[in-house]
mmCIF file of all heavy atoms in Angstrom:
data_model
loop_
_atom_site.group_PDB
_atom_site.id
_atom_site.type_symbol
_atom_site.label_atom_id
_atom_site.label_comp_id
_atom_site.label_asym_id
_atom_site.label_seq_id
_atom_site.Cartn_x
_atom_site.Cartn_y
_atom_site.Cartn_z
ATOM 1 N N LYS A 340 21.147 46.304 60.438
ATOM 2 C CA LYS A 340 21.180 44.828 60.377
ATOM 3 C C LYS A 340 21.135 44.323 58.931
ATOM 4 O O LYS A 340 21.617 43.223 58.630
ATOM 5 C CB LYS A 340 20.025 44.222 61.171
ATOM 6 C CG LYS A 340 18.629 44.537 60.644
ATOM 7 C CD LYS A 340 17.581 43.829 61.491
ATOM 8 C CE LYS A 340 16.143 44.148 61.233
ATOM 9 N NZ LYS A 340 15.608 45.030 60.299
ATOM 10 N N ASP A 341 20.576 45.106 58.006
ATOM 11 C CA ASP A 341 20.524 44.703 56.594
ATOM 12 C C ASP A 341 21.913 44.713 55.963
ATOM 13 O O ASP A 341 22.197 43.982 55.020
ATOM 14 C CB ASP A 341 19.633 45.660 55.784
ATOM 15 C CG ASP A 341 18.190 45.633 56.260
ATOM 16 O OD1 ASP A 341 17.707 44.541 56.604
ATOM 17 O OD2 ASP A 341 17.566 46.709 56.296
ATOM 18 N N ILE A 342 22.765 45.593 56.478
ATOM 19 C CA ILE A 342 24.115 45.691 55.924
ATOM 20 C C ILE A 342 25.025 44.642 56.569
ATOM 21 O O ILE A 342 25.690 43.869 55.882
ATOM 22 C CB ILE A 342 24.708 47.105 56.150
ATOM 23 C CG1 ILE A 342 23.805 48.167 55.499
ATOM 24 C CG2 ILE A 342 26.132 47.181 55.592
ATOM 25 C CD1 ILE A 342 24.310 49.594 55.668
ATOM 26 N N PHE A 343 24.982 44.610 57.902
ATOM 27 C CA PHE A 343 25.894 43.718 58.641
ATOM 28 C C PHE A 343 25.301 42.320 58.799
ATOM 29 O O PHE A 343 25.222 41.794 59.895
ATOM 30 C CB PHE A 343 26.221 44.328 60.009
ATOM 31 C CG PHE A 343 27.098 45.544 59.907
ATOM 32 C CD1 PHE A 343 26.549 46.801 59.674
ATOM 33 C CD2 PHE A 343 28.476 45.434 60.026
ATOM 34 C CE1 PHE A 343 27.355 47.925 59.564
ATOM 35 C CE2 PHE A 343 29.290 46.552 59.924
ATOM 36 C CZ PHE A 343 28.720 47.803 59.684
ATOM 37 N N GLN A 344 24.887 41.723 57.700
ATOM 38 C CA GLN A 344 24.284 40.399 57.798
ATOM 39 C C GLN A 344 25.337 39.367 58.154
ATOM 40 O O GLN A 344 26.414 39.332 57.569
ATOM 41 C CB GLN A 344 23.615 40.021 56.471
ATOM 42 C CG GLN A 344 22.303 40.764 56.263
ATOM 43 C CD GLN A 344 21.679 40.480 54.917
ATOM 44 O OE1 GLN A 344 21.902 39.426 54.331
ATOM 45 N NE2 GLN A 344 20.914 41.429 54.414
ATOM 46 N N GLY A 345 25.015 38.521 59.156
ATOM 47 C CA GLY A 345 25.921 37.438 59.532
ATOM 48 C C GLY A 345 27.111 37.876 60.353
ATOM 49 O O GLY A 345 27.982 37.067 60.666
ATOM 50 N N MET A 346 27.199 39.134 60.693
ATOM 51 C CA MET A 346 28.300 39.571 61.559
ATOM 52 C C MET A 346 27.794 40.592 62.576
ATOM 53 O O MET A 346 26.680 41.083 62.469
ATOM 54 C CB MET A 346 29.442 40.160 60.733
ATOM 55 C CG MET A 346 29.060 41.342 59.880
ATOM 56 S SD MET A 346 30.352 41.853 58.740
ATOM 57 C CE MET A 346 31.425 42.783 59.817
ATOM 58 N N GLU A 347 28.623 40.880 63.549
ATOM 59 C CA GLU A 347 28.185 41.793 64.598
ATOM 60 C C GLU A 347 28.295 43.244 64.113
ATOM 61 O O GLU A 347 29.337 43.664 63.603
ATOM 62 C CB GLU A 347 29.064 41.598 65.837
ATOM 63 C CG GLU A 347 28.400 42.150 67.089
ATOM 64 C CD GLU A 347 29.309 42.015 68.296
ATOM 65 O OE1 GLU A 347 30.023 40.990 68.396
ATOM 66 O OE2 GLU A 347 29.304 42.941 69.121
ATOM 67 N N ALA A 348 27.191 43.982 64.268
ATOM 68 C CA ALA A 348 27.192 45.373 63.801
ATOM 69 C C ALA A 348 27.806 46.283 64.872
ATOM 70 O O ALA A 348 27.725 45.996 66.050
ATOM 71 C CB ALA A 348 25.754 45.801 63.517
ATOM 72 N N PRO A 349 28.437 47.382 64.436
ATOM 73 C CA PRO A 349 29.063 48.297 65.395
ATOM 74 C C PRO A 349 28.042 49.091 66.208
ATOM 75 O O PRO A 349 28.348 49.573 67.294
ATOM 76 C CB PRO A 349 29.885 49.231 64.505
ATOM 77 C CG PRO A 349 29.210 49.184 63.174
ATOM 78 C CD PRO A 349 28.627 47.805 63.048
ATOM 79 N N ILE A 350 26.852 49.258 65.679
ATOM 80 C CA ILE A 350 25.769 49.922 66.421
ATOM 81 C C ILE A 350 24.529 49.043 66.317
ATOM 82 O O ILE A 350 24.511 48.071 65.552
ATOM 83 C CB ILE A 350 25.457 51.349 65.886
ATOM 84 C CG1 ILE A 350 25.264 51.322 64.362
ATOM 85 C CG2 ILE A 350 26.552 52.324 66.256
ATOM 86 C CD1 ILE A 350 24.838 52.659 63.777
ATOM 87 N N GLU A 351 23.489 49.385 67.064
ATOM 88 C CA GLU A 351 22.318 48.503 67.124
ATOM 89 C C GLU A 351 21.680 48.273 65.757
ATOM 90 O O GLU A 351 21.509 49.209 64.966
ATOM 91 C CB GLU A 351 21.292 49.086 68.089
ATOM 92 C CG GLU A 351 21.786 48.970 69.524
ATOM 93 C CD GLU A 351 20.781 49.519 70.520
ATOM 94 O OE1 GLU A 351 19.640 49.042 70.507
ATOM 95 O OE2 GLU A 351 21.159 50.393 71.288
ATOM 96 N N GLY A 352 21.339 47.002 65.513
ATOM 97 C CA GLY A 352 20.882 46.568 64.196
ATOM 98 C C GLY A 352 19.601 47.224 63.714
ATOM 99 O O GLY A 352 19.415 47.417 62.509
ATOM 100 N N HIS A 353 18.718 47.588 64.640
ATOM 101 C CA HIS A 353 17.434 48.151 64.190
ATOM 102 C C HIS A 353 17.524 49.640 63.843
ATOM 103 O O HIS A 353 16.560 50.236 63.375
ATOM 104 C CB HIS A 353 16.358 47.917 65.260
ATOM 105 C CG HIS A 353 16.578 48.731 66.488
ATOM 106 N ND1 HIS A 353 17.343 48.297 67.539
ATOM 107 C CD2 HIS A 353 16.159 49.974 66.822
ATOM 108 C CE1 HIS A 353 17.380 49.235 68.472
ATOM 109 N NE2 HIS A 353 16.670 50.259 68.063
ATOM 110 N N LEU A 354 18.695 50.254 64.062
ATOM 111 C CA LEU A 354 18.844 51.669 63.698
ATOM 112 C C LEU A 354 18.844 51.835 62.173
ATOM 113 O O LEU A 354 19.249 50.942 61.444
ATOM 114 C CB LEU A 354 20.151 52.234 64.279
ATOM 115 C CG LEU A 354 20.163 52.449 65.781
ATOM 116 C CD1 LEU A 354 21.556 52.882 66.236
ATOM 117 C CD2 LEU A 354 19.128 53.495 66.183
ATOM 118 N N THR A 355 18.419 52.987 61.734
ATOM 119 C CA THR A 355 18.389 53.252 60.298
ATOM 120 C C THR A 355 19.804 53.533 59.802
ATOM 121 O O THR A 355 20.475 54.423 60.317
ATOM 122 C CB THR A 355 17.514 54.496 60.002
ATOM 123 O OG1 THR A 355 16.305 54.388 60.740
ATOM 124 C CG2 THR A 355 17.204 54.607 58.514
ATOM 125 N N ALA A 356 20.227 52.775 58.810
ATOM 126 C CA ALA A 356 21.526 53.072 58.190
ATOM 127 C C ALA A 356 21.319 54.112 57.103
ATOM 128 O O ALA A 356 22.136 55.021 56.936
ATOM 129 C CB ALA A 356 22.127 51.802 57.601
ATOM 130 N N SER A 357 20.215 53.973 56.350
ATOM 131 C CA SER A 357 19.946 54.921 55.269
ATOM 132 C C SER A 357 18.440 55.031 55.048
ATOM 133 O O SER A 357 17.793 54.058 54.648
ATOM 134 C CB SER A 357 20.639 54.442 53.986
ATOM 135 O OG SER A 357 20.240 55.225 52.900
ATOM 136 N N ASN A 358 17.894 56.227 55.318
ATOM 137 C CA ASN A 358 16.470 56.442 55.063
ATOM 138 C C ASN A 358 16.218 56.315 53.559
ATOM 139 O O ASN A 358 16.914 56.944 52.769
ATOM 140 C CB ASN A 358 16.043 57.838 55.540
ATOM 141 C CG ASN A 358 16.203 58.014 57.046
ATOM 142 O OD1 ASN A 358 17.285 58.334 57.522
ATOM 143 N ND2 ASN A 358 15.150 57.778 57.787
ATOM 144 N N PHE A 359 15.301 55.492 53.180
ATOM 145 C CA PHE A 359 14.968 55.188 51.777
ATOM 146 C C PHE A 359 16.089 54.416 51.067
ATOM 147 O O PHE A 359 16.048 54.222 49.867
ATOM 148 C CB PHE A 359 14.622 56.463 50.980
ATOM 149 C CG PHE A 359 13.269 57.020 51.325
ATOM 150 C CD1 PHE A 359 13.096 57.888 52.386
ATOM 151 C CD2 PHE A 359 12.150 56.644 50.589
ATOM 152 C CE1 PHE A 359 11.845 58.382 52.725
ATOM 153 C CE2 PHE A 359 10.892 57.133 50.923
ATOM 154 C CZ PHE A 359 10.748 58.003 51.989
ATOM 155 N N GLY A 360 17.073 53.959 51.825
ATOM 156 C CA GLY A 360 18.258 53.351 51.228
ATOM 157 C C GLY A 360 18.022 51.989 50.594
ATOM 158 O O GLY A 360 18.850 51.530 49.799
ATOM 159 N N LYS A 361 16.919 51.319 50.940
ATOM 160 C CA LYS A 361 16.691 49.997 50.363
ATOM 161 C C LYS A 361 16.129 50.069 48.943
ATOM 162 O O LYS A 361 16.213 49.106 48.182
ATOM 163 C CB LYS A 361 15.755 49.197 51.267
ATOM 164 C CG LYS A 361 16.141 47.727 51.383
ATOM 165 C CD LYS A 361 15.236 46.973 52.338
ATOM 166 C CE LYS A 361 15.845 46.848 53.713
ATOM 167 N NZ LYS A 361 14.923 46.326 54.710
#
Side-chain angles (χ1 to χ4, degrees):
K340 64 178 173 0
D341 297 322
I342 302 180
F343 290 85
Q344 285 176 27
M346 59 189 281
E347 199 183 323
I350 50 175
E351 289 181 56
H353 70 271
L354 288 175
T355 314
S357 172
N358 297 84
F359 286 86
K361 219 177 263 171

